[in-house]
Amino acid sequence: MANSPTRDVVMTDVDDMTISDDSDFYAAAVFLAGNDSDVEYIASLEAKCRQFSSSEWWAAHEHSLPRRAAQQQARKKMKQLDKQADDGPAAATSVRLHNIYEGKNDARQLSETVDEFLARLPPRSTRLSEVGPWIWIANPHPPTPRAPAKSDVSGFKDVGNEVLEAWSARRADIQRSMSRKAQSTVTRVLNKERREIETRLLALAAERGVTHGKWLLFPSNGPTLDETWTKVSHAVAAGQLGSAAKVATVNDGESSTASKVAEDGGRLICIYTQDFRDKDDVKRVLVKLNQLGLVGSGNKGIYYKSDAWTWLDLSSGNEHGFKARL
């Protein structure tokens, strides 16, 4: 990006890492010896993400036999849990587990162990045409019994895109009025106003309940992918990471843009947190990922991105000059 270069950072000690309020997209924590090829790599994945329509895919696969079988299995499991709850306090403790993806064939079910889930949906061979673009696993141990926050994604996208359109016009005005100024002076003014717009957009996201974010991993396909997803899945199921995680399935030609698979066979894994503003929780998840050996070696890097930026299509190299990762 011409106006907003991405910072490259080598992480030497995650436990001592701090997230600065002045940093864009937690840049000081996310690029691990990154380079221009990393930026191009991420941009290609994000382009594929933007062009995939989940609603169209589900409309075509809603009544597939695997999905119907998973829903039937989930209903049977819930009946068993309800009976356990009626049998007394000791049996009722298992009911406290909650799976937001229960009944979905593309996700881990409470009726199966993590190892059974991994055997049923191995990321190296599970194809997009079988379950869709993602394989999911949820944290069944909610941190608090609070009601889920209401999320107005559509409203946020409408208002957010209006803000971005106004910023595009404002940026053009600045560049035109300062055409005789030194480029460094113009860049300094643009960066200042861009940060103000970013702050405004993030505030709008919070107001609309669009607060989720995710750490992004890019393991190479093959044994590294299997090892990474296995570690992530067990940690999510044990309540040690965030609220959920997903890994891209294999593109089998059904849609050239649906699968998040890079040309070199790399794959995208997302580990979600509930609130991008909760820097302590964001850092906690990063520290755990580092303890699992998933930061650095064997992976292409680790980045954090808010869902707000995803919904506004603010990917790497976007026309607005925003950094794509928090």
Side-chain angles (χ1 to χ4, degrees):
M1 267 171 276
N3 295 330
S4 181
T6 303
R7 282 181 286 178
D8 298 345
V9 176
V10 178
M11 186 175 298
T12 56
D13 191 342
V14 174
D15 294 307
D16 293 334
M17 181 272 292
T18 60
I19 299 173
S20 169
D21 290 331
D22 296 329
S23 64
D24 288 328
F25 287 80
Y26 303 158
V30 297
F31 265 29
L32 302 176
N35 51 46
D36 291 340
S37 63
D38 286 335
V39 175
E40 295 174 359
Y41 173 80
I42 306 307
S44 68
L45 295 184
E46 290 174 332
K48 293 177 181 180
C49 291
R50 291 195 304 274
Q51 297 178 50
F52 176 75
S53 172
S54 59
S55 59
E56 293 179 4
W57 192 94
W58 280 114
H61 296 78
E62 178 68 24
H63 302 294
S64 65
L65 289 176
R67 177 171 171 78
R68 291 169 60 185
Q71 291 173 331
Q72 184 177 12
Q73 183 183 41
R75 285 192 292 269
K76 180 179 179 181
K77 181 63 177 179
M78 291 307 298
K79 289 181 180 179
Q80 294 174 347
L81 293 177
D82 289 341
K83 183 178 184 303
Q84 291 175 3
D86 293 336
D87 289 341
T93 56
S94 62
V95 185
R96 295 174 184 172
L97 295 179
H98 176 66
N99 184 13
I100 58 177
Y101 305 126
E102 199 70 18
K104 292 179 175 289
N105 188 50
D106 57 354
R108 186 225 172 177
Q109 304 297 292
L110 291 178
S111 58
E112 59 188 350
T113 66
V114 175
D115 288 336
E116 289 171 342
F117 158 69
L118 293 170
R120 179 171 66 87
L121 295 171
R124 261 209 284 180
S125 59
T126 301
R127 313 194 74 79
L128 182 148
S129 60
E130 296 171 337
V131 298
W134 300 104
I135 298 169
W136 297 84
I137 184 169
N139 178 357
H141 309 277
T144 58
R146 65 185 180 184
K150 293 183 179 179
S151 180
D152 180 11
V153 173
S154 178
F156 168 71
K157 290 174 65 177
D158 290 342
V159 177
N161 282 316
E162 289 177 2
V163 171
L164 290 176
E165 289 178 7
W167 160 244
S168 293
R170 171 61 178 161
R171 183 178 60 175
D173 287 342
I174 292 174
Q175 291 172 329
R176 183 167 49 251
S177 64
M178 300 183 68
S179 60
R180 296 182 180 276
K181 300 287 186 180
Q183 184 59 45
S184 60
T185 301
V186 178
T187 299
R188 185 164 57 251
V189 173
L190 288 174
N191 286 344
K192 179 178 181 297
E193 297 210 15
R194 184 184 295 111
R195 284 193 292 269
E196 293 173 354
I197 297 299
E198 289 176 349
T199 299
R200 181 181 176 190
L201 286 173
L202 292 175
L204 287 171
E207 291 174 6
R208 300 280 180 159
V210 185
T211 61
H212 280 85
K214 59 264 187 185
W215 283 107
L216 310 179
L217 292 171
F218 304 91
S220 299
N221 214 341
T224 300
L225 171 63
D226 291 340
E227 179 182 358
T228 302
W229 181 238
T230 295
K231 289 181 177 180
V232 167
S233 296
H234 278 282
V236 169
Q240 297 172 345
L241 289 176
S243 55
K246 66 183 181 181
V247 60
T249 52
V250 179
N251 180 15
D252 54 5
E254 177 174 327
S255 171
S256 61
T257 60
S259 186
K260 290 69 184 173
V261 181
E263 292 181 358
D264 66 352
R267 204 77 65 85
L268 174 59
I269 293 176
C270 301
I271 301 96
Y272 284 85
T273 70
Q274 289 189 323
D275 196 331
F276 64 82
R277 299 167 299 175
D278 189 346
K279 294 182 179 180
D280 288 339
D281 187 54
V282 171
K283 177 182 176 181
R284 178 192 63 78
V285 174
L286 175 62
V287 169
K288 182 60 182 179
L289 290 170
N290 186 56
Q291 292 172 349
L292 292 172
L294 301 181
V295 177
S297 178
N299 290 284
K300 294 181 178 296
I302 183 167
Y303 315 85
Y304 189 86
K305 185 175 184 179
S306 71
D307 277 8
W309 259 224
T310 299
W311 290 119
L312 293 178
D313 289 333
L314 292 177
S315 55
S316 299
N318 64 82
E319 62 179 295
H320 303 289
F322 291 0
K323 290 185 178 179
R325 290 163 290 277
L326 284 175

